[in-house]
Amino acid sequence: MKTKLAGRRKTPTVRVGPVLIGGGHPIVVQSMTNTDTADAKSTAVQVSELARAGSELVRITVNTLEAAQAVPAIVRRLEMMSCDVPLIGDFHYNGHQLLQQVPECAQLLAKYRINPGNVGFGRKRDDQFATIIGLALEYSKPVRIGVNWGSLDASLLARLMDKNAARVQPEDANVIMRQALIQSAIESAQQAEALGLPHEQIILSCKVSDVQDLIGVYRSLAGRCDYALHLGLTEAGMGSKGIVSSSAALAVLLQEGIGDTIRISLTPEPGQARTDEVIVAQELLQSMGLRAFSPMVTACPGCGRTTSTFFQSLTQDVQAFVRRRMPEWKIRYEGVENLSLAVMGCVVNGPGESRQADIGISLPGTGEAPAAPVFVDGRKHVTLRGETLSEDFLQLIEAYVQDHYSRRLPDR
C-alpha cells in the first residue's frame, strides 16, 4: 500500500516565461550554469545541455557588465538551437546597476534572483532594492528573493542576536540565525509588495547547507507565508554526499507538501557532467511519485545467488537504451514516461518483481536453468536464452512502447 503524500501547500501561481510555478502546478526542476556568462557560446551550450536533460528553468550568473551584455547573444544562440528554456538572472551586489545599464538584459531574462543580504548595504540598501523591484515591474518579471545564511543581512542578524542576548534565557545562536533567515525573506517580500510588485510575482528561498536546519527553516517559512518556495541546500557537496544530503532534506519537505521549485546543488567531480544535478532532481521527484520524467528501472542489487554479473550489465544496457530512446519516445508517445521496467537476478524475487513492472525480466541465479522469463503486464510473455538475450529484451521494450502508448498527433 502506498503512503499518500500530504496535500500541496496552497500558493499563488507564478509565471516564469511559459513555466507555471506554484498554484498546484507540477514541481519545477531548476539548475544553474557554471560557465563564465560573458562567454555567450559556452554558456548557451551549457544552458541547452541542462534544458535537454530536463531542467525547466536555468539560472545564469550576471555579475559584470560583460555578462549582462552577453545575455542577448545567449538568447539568440539558444533560439538557433531551438531551446526556449527560461533564463533566470542571478544578481549580487550590483544588479541594480547592470539591469539599468543593459535594458535588453533586463527584458530578455525571465526572472530575477536577488539576495537581500547583499543587494545593498546601509542606507543604499533600500534604494538599490527599490531599483531592482522597479525594473521587475517595468519589464513584468517575477523575482526570487533568495536568502542565504552564508550572506545573511548582517545588520538584521546583529539586531536579533543583541535582542536574544538581553533575554533571561537566550536561545541558541543557530535558532536566532534561522529566525533571521525567515524574517529577512518575509520582510523583503513585503517591502517588494509595498513597492508595487504583485504577490504572485514573488518566490522565496532560505538556503542553508545543513539538512535539519533546512527542514526547520522551510517548515517555519511555509507556516508564515503563502509565497511560492524554491527548495535546495545551498552547498550540498560532491558525489553521494551531495545526493544523499539533498534527497534527505528535500524529500521530507516535499512529503509535507512544501516546495514549488527544486535544485540539487551538486559540486561536480572533475569531468562530471553538469546535467547530473538535473537527473538527481528528476529521480527524486519521480521516486516520490510527484512527477514522471522517464521510464523507471527496478533492478536487483545482487547477492550470493547472483554470482554472474550479467544482471548488472543488462541493467546498464536497459538504462542507457531508455536514455537514448526517450527524446524520440517523448515526442511520439503519450505517457511513455510512466513506463516501469524490471531487471532481476534470480528466482527468489525475480518473477514477483517482474510481474509488478510493465515489462520485466527474471535472470537465472546460481544453479538455475539458463533461461530468463519475461513478464509483460503481469503475465509471462516469453522466455529468452542465449547470447542475444540483451538485444532481444531491448527489442521487447521497444515493441511494448509502440504497442501500448498512443501516438502523439503532430503539431499543425
Side-chain angles (χ1 to χ4, degrees), residues 9 18 73 76 85 91 138 168 209 262 266 326 336 387 395:
R9 173 176 163 272
R76 287 194 297 271
V85 66
F91 296 99
E138 180 179 349
V168 176
S209 55
I262 67 169
L266 296 180
M326 191 57 192
V336 68
E387 295 181 357
Q395 288 179 11

Side-chain angles (χ1 to χ4, degrees), residues 12-322:
T13 296
V14 183
R15 181 179 290 276
V16 182
V19 178
L20 300 178
I21 296 171
H25 296 283
I27 295 164
V28 172
V29 172
Q30 180 174 316
S31 59
M32 184 175 185
T33 59
N34 60 358
T35 57
D36 178 358
T37 306
D39 183 345
K41 181 179 178 180
S42 63
T43 300
V45 168
Q46 191 174 83
V47 168
S48 178
E49 289 171 349
L50 291 166
R52 285 200 304 271
S55 185
E56 294 155 305
L57 300 172
V58 178
R59 184 157 48 112
I60 61 175
T61 297
V62 186
N63 58 335
T64 64
L65 180 59
E66 291 76 17
Q69 291 171 333
V71 168
I74 293 168
V75 171
R76 287 194 297 271
R77 286 180 177 274
L78 290 172
E79 288 174 348
M80 291 172 63
M81 292 186 277
S82 299
C83 178
D84 61 354
V85 66
L87 291 181
I88 301 165
D90 192 58
F91 296 99
H92 298 274
Y93 307 109
N94 58 355
H96 62 292
Q97 296 173 332
L98 298 178
L99 288 168
Q100 290 182 100
Q101 291 172 327
V102 189
E104 198 174 359
C105 168
Q107 182 178 10
L108 290 173
L109 291 172
K111 184 175 74 171
Y112 308 153
R113 187 267 178 167
I114 59 174
N115 183 340
N118 59 33
V119 74
F121 302 99
R123 287 175 293 181
K124 293 182 179 181
R125 190 267 182 196
D126 288 348
D127 288 342
Q128 292 173 187
F129 183 88
T131 297
I132 295 175
I133 299 303
L135 289 161
L137 281 167
E138 180 179 349
Y139 293 104
S140 299
K141 305 298 180 181
V143 175
R144 171 157 73 94
I145 297 173
V147 184
N148 190 308
W149 74 349
S151 52
L152 189 55
D153 185 331
S155 60
L156 171 62
L157 181 59
R159 288 198 305 272
L160 293 181
M161 287 293 188
D162 290 344
K163 184 177 179 181
N164 182 58
R167 292 174 178 164
V168 176
Q169 293 183 320
E171 297 274 12
D172 182 81
N174 199 46
V175 173
I176 303 304
M177 182 170 283
R178 287 188 191 180
Q179 292 174 1
L181 283 163
I182 296 164
Q183 188 168 326
S184 177
I186 292 177
E187 287 183 357
S188 297
Q190 291 171 343
Q191 183 181 1
E193 286 198 65
L195 292 166
L197 190 66
H199 190 77
E200 63 275 12
Q201 284 184 229
I202 297 173
I203 298 172
L204 297 186
S205 65
C206 286
K207 289 194 173 185
V208 300
S209 55
D210 179 82
V211 170
Q212 294 297 341
D213 283 330
L214 190 84
I215 293 169
V217 165
Y218 272 91
R219 281 175 172 166
S220 297
L221 183 62
R224 291 182 55 182
C225 70
D226 72 342
Y227 295 107
L229 300 181
H230 170 75
L231 303 185
L233 287 173
T234 186
E235 293 102 8
M238 183 179 284
S240 60
K241 188 272 179 187
I243 294 171
V244 171
S245 295
S246 291
S247 299
L250 271 59
V252 171
L253 295 168
L254 293 169
Q255 181 76 18
E256 296 177 5
I258 298 170
D260 301 286
T261 71
I262 67 169
R263 184 192 172 202
I264 307 296
S265 300
L266 296 180
T267 302
E269 297 180 6
Q272 179 185 17
R274 187 69 169 178
T275 53
D276 285 1
E277 68 174 45
V278 179
I279 294 168
V280 173
Q282 289 181 325
E283 289 181 347
L284 173 61
L285 293 175
Q286 187 152 348
S287 66
M288 294 186 68
L290 292 167
R291 291 193 64 181
F293 296 95
S294 181
M296 294 289 283
V297 182
T298 299
C300 173
C303 67
R305 290 177 174 268
T306 54
T307 51
S308 168
T309 59
F310 183 68
F311 75 97
Q312 296 169 310
S313 61
L314 180 58
T315 302
Q316 192 172 46
D317 289 345
V318 170
Q319 291 188 150
F321 177 75
V322 168

